[in-house]
């Protein structure tokens, strides 16, 4: 290896050292070369001063930005939580509606099979009422659950949210 | 949660993974208190990175805020095997690039081009105020601002991740979503360019 190659290798190894990826044999070679070569010591010094200067430069996040960000994150967290509650409620209502609707269809089918058209008087009225209730029940349950959840979220927000909902 | 984070830090549990797992659980729960603490902990690092990368203070502030909202929304995607900081900065970087793409699609090619042998050109916007230069000149009056001013964003971000944030080459490559060789090449070129500029600057001042 001629002198120029050695300087180039030293430069590459100096970089690798600063990137934290130099191998042990290379580090030994570099140390030995630096002991002998004044020109490469200058390169090393320039590189170190550039890095030191870069690291000395303090940039800090403005306080107002941090406060604003925290506030936005809290608002968004609340929105997401409410959205998730609503989604859960919707799924529950749909499941209930499915159960009641299936029951109604099945009940209707059984009535049809047992000759519903021939049934009369109080028994007929009762059947009609049951049929209507089957259809209305999911909606009633959904409204009740929504009102209950809204109250619960409101109370939670007023009393606890500001004092660190979700903190351990 | 706070106790767990502090415990992981103080007890020095091996454990990037342990700490990462605690953070991942908090993110999954969308715990606003934990988010507050993460913002406190990573505020300066994230803002510094954004300022170096974008060179626009207002833009950096916008992306800073947006990044934390994104962290809240997509916290479940964080993989605790990696440092939280690596994931955080890659989220911020992707947001910044998306915004730049919307704002100035032509110039973005300049910012992001980094193929071997291709000279990375600097974004030139005569009207843009170089916030980084303003801040650093005001705060420390250093040569760094001037030296960094002409450096390509891709080099600046590699330098800041390595020497300010003390990331390993592997973490830098992961954050920037590039192969190791590209990360190394960006660092190498950035360092050379910085040295050259600093030398020239000192020559002018003498």
């Amino acid at each position: 290896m001629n002198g120029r190659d050695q300087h180039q290798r030293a430069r590459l190894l100096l970089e690798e050292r600063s990137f934290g990826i130099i191998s042990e044999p290379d580090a030994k070679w570099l140390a030995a070369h630096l002991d002998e070569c004044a020109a490469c010591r200058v390169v090393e010094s320039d590189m170190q001063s550039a890095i030191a200067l870069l690291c000395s430069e303090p940039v800090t996040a403005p306080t107002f930005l941090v406060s604003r960000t925290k506030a936005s994150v809290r608002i968004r967290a609340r929105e997401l939580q409410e959205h998730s509650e609503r989604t859960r409620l919707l799924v529950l209502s749909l499941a209930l509606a499915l159960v009641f609707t299936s029951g109604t269809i099945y009940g209707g089918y059984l009535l049809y099979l047992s000759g519903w058209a021939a049934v009369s008087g109080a028994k007929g009225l009762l059947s009609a009422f049951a049929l209507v209730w089957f259809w209305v029940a999911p909606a009633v349950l959904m409204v009740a659950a929504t009102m209950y959840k809204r109250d619960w979220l409101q109370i939670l927000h007023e009393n606890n949210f500001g004092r660190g909902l979700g903190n351990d | 949660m706070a106790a767990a984070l502090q415990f992981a830090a103080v007890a020095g549990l091996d454990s990037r993974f342990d700490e990462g797992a605690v953070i991942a659980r908090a993110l999954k729960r969308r715990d606003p208190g934990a988010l507050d603490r993460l913002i406190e902990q990573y505020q300066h690092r994230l803002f510094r990175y954004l300022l170096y990368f974008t060179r626009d203070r207002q833009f950096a502030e916008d992306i800073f805020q947006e990044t934390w909202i994104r962290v809240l929304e997509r916290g479940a995607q964080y993989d605790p095997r990696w440092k939280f900081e690596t994931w955080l900065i890659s989220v911020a970087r992707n947001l910044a690039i998306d915004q730049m793409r919307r704002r100035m699609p032509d110039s973005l090619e300049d910012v992001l081009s980094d193929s071997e042998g291709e000279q990375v050109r600097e974004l030139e916007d005569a009207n843009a105020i170089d916030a980084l230069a303003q801040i650093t000149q005001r705060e420390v009056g250093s040569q760094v601002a001037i030296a960094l001013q002409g450096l390509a964003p891709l080099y600046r971000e590699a330098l800041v991740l390595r020497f300010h944030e003390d990331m390993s080459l592997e973490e830098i490559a992961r954050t920037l979503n590039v192969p190791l060789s590209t990360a190394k090449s960006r660092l190498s070129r950035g360092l050379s360019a910085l040295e050259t500029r600093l030398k020239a600057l000192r020559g002018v001042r003498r």
Side-chain angles (χ1 to χ4, degrees):
Chain A
M1 194 185 290
N2 64 33
R4 192 174 166 183
D5 288 343
Q6 287 200 343
H7 296 321
Q8 280 177 346
R9 185 181 175 202
R11 163 84 207 185
L12 282 174
L13 292 179
L14 281 169
E15 284 181 357
E16 288 193 356
R17 192 176 71 181
S18 70
F19 304 159
I21 53 170
I22 193 168
S23 67
E24 204 172 317
D26 282 344
K28 277 183 187 159
W29 182 90
L30 180 64
H33 179 76
L34 288 174
D35 280 344
E36 295 166 1
C37 179
C40 285
R41 282 199 298 275
V42 173
V43 172
E44 180 192 27
S45 162
D46 284 348
M47 194 181 284
Q48 281 176 345
S49 67
I51 292 168
L53 204 59
L54 186 71
C55 295
S56 71
E57 189 268 310
V59 177
T60 53
T63 317
F64 79 89
L65 176 65
V66 175
S67 315
R68 198 173 69 190
T69 304
K70 283 181 181 174
S72 307
V73 166
R74 280 191 171 271
I75 290 168
R76 185 73 185 126
R78 211 174 74 200
E79 284 171 3
L80 288 172
Q81 188 167 357
E82 285 175 1
H83 180 261
S84 136
E85 292 290 343
R86 279 198 300 273
T87 308
R88 229 173 291 165
L89 205 61
L90 186 67
V91 169
L92 181 72
S93 305
L94 285 174
L96 283 172
L98 186 70
V99 168
F100 277 97
T101 308
S102 310
T104 305
I105 291 169
Y106 185 63
Y109 178 65
L110 289 180
L111 282 173
Y112 172 76
L113 286 183
S114 64
W116 184 40
V119 177
S120 60
K123 204 174 174 186
L125 276 174
L126 195 65
S127 301
F129 177 76
L131 202 64
V132 170
W133 171 243
F134 274 134
W135 283 105
V136 170
V140 172
L141 280 172
M142 198 163 111
V143 170
T146 307
M147 288 173 75
Y148 170 75
K149 282 283 179 186
R150 278 209 172 157
D151 287 350
W152 182 78
L153 280 174
Q154 189 65 27
I155 291 164
L156 189 72
H157 172 57
E158 284 168 3
N159 296 323
N160 288 321
F161 198 86
R163 293 204 292 267
L165 173 70
N167 288 347
D168 288 345
Chain B
M1 168 69 205
L5 274 178
Q6 278 162 8
F7 177 71
V10 173
L13 295 174
D14 165 354
S15 353
R16 194 162 82 189
F17 184 77
D18 287 350
E19 194 179 342
V22 172
I23 293 174
R25 276 199 298 275
L27 290 178
K28 216 167 244 180
R29 288 201 310 268
R30 288 180 172 155
D31 177 347
L35 255 296
D36 271 5
R37 286 187 286 277
L38 288 173
I39 293 170
E40 281 290 336
Q41 195 175 340
Y42 292 97
Q43 54 177 323
H44 301 309
R45 276 175 269 185
L46 178 61
F47 187 68
R48 188 164 47 221
Y49 167 76
L50 285 169
L51 206 53
Y52 271 77
F53 184 52
T54 66
R55 286 186 17 184
D56 179 333
R57 189 181 178 84
Q58 187 58 51
F59 187 47
E61 286 176 4
D62 292 347
I63 299 294
F64 179 90
Q65 193 166 327
E66 229 175 289
T67 300
W68 287 108
I69 299 283
R70 185 63 63 92
V71 166
L72 173 77
E73 289 171 347
R74 304 205 181 159
Q77 292 172 3
Y78 166 59
D79 181 349
R81 284 175 301 174
W82 290 91
K83 270 161 83 176
F84 175 70
E85 188 184 4
T86 309
W87 182 69
L88 176 70
I89 290 180
S90 62
V91 168
R93 184 175 195 269
N94 290 338
L95 278 171
I97 289 173
D98 283 350
Q99 288 290 332
M100 284 178 190
R101 193 166 278 140
R102 276 185 219 129
R103 281 177 167 198
M104 40 186 184
D106 297 336
S107 305
L108 188 69
E109 293 309 313
D110 291 341
V111 176
L112 297 179
S113 63
D114 187 44
S115 57
E116 287 298 324
E118 183 182 352
Q119 202 173 13
V120 179
R121 283 170 292 153
E122 193 53 18
L123 232 182
E124 287 180 0
D125 183 354
N127 298 321
I129 299 166
D130 190 336
L132 181 64
Q134 278 189 343
I135 289 169
T136 50
Q137 278 170 339
R138 190 177 63 231
E139 289 182 351
V140 292
S142 73
Q143 301 161 315
V144 186
I146 304 162
L148 284 172
Q149 193 166 0
L151 219 58
L154 287 178
Y155 297 164
R156 280 201 305 264
E157 68 172 351
L159 290 174
V160 77
L161 292 178
R162 172 65 197 146
F163 298 113
H164 263 294
E165 312 312 334
D166 204 25
M167 280 190 183
S168 68
L169 203 57
E170 196 186 5
E171 285 166 344
I172 295 172
R174 189 178 167 82
T175 304
L176 306 181
N177 199 22
V178 293
L180 273 175
S181 56
T182 306
K184 189 179 167 191
S185 147
R186 284 183 193 176
L187 271 172
S188 177
R189 289 185 194 181
L191 194 55
S192 298
L194 184 67
E195 279 176 62
T196 309
R197 283 165 196 278
L198 284 172
K199 259 190 232 167
L201 205 63
R202 282 174 194 144
V204 167
R205 287 192 175 175
R206 268 177 204 145

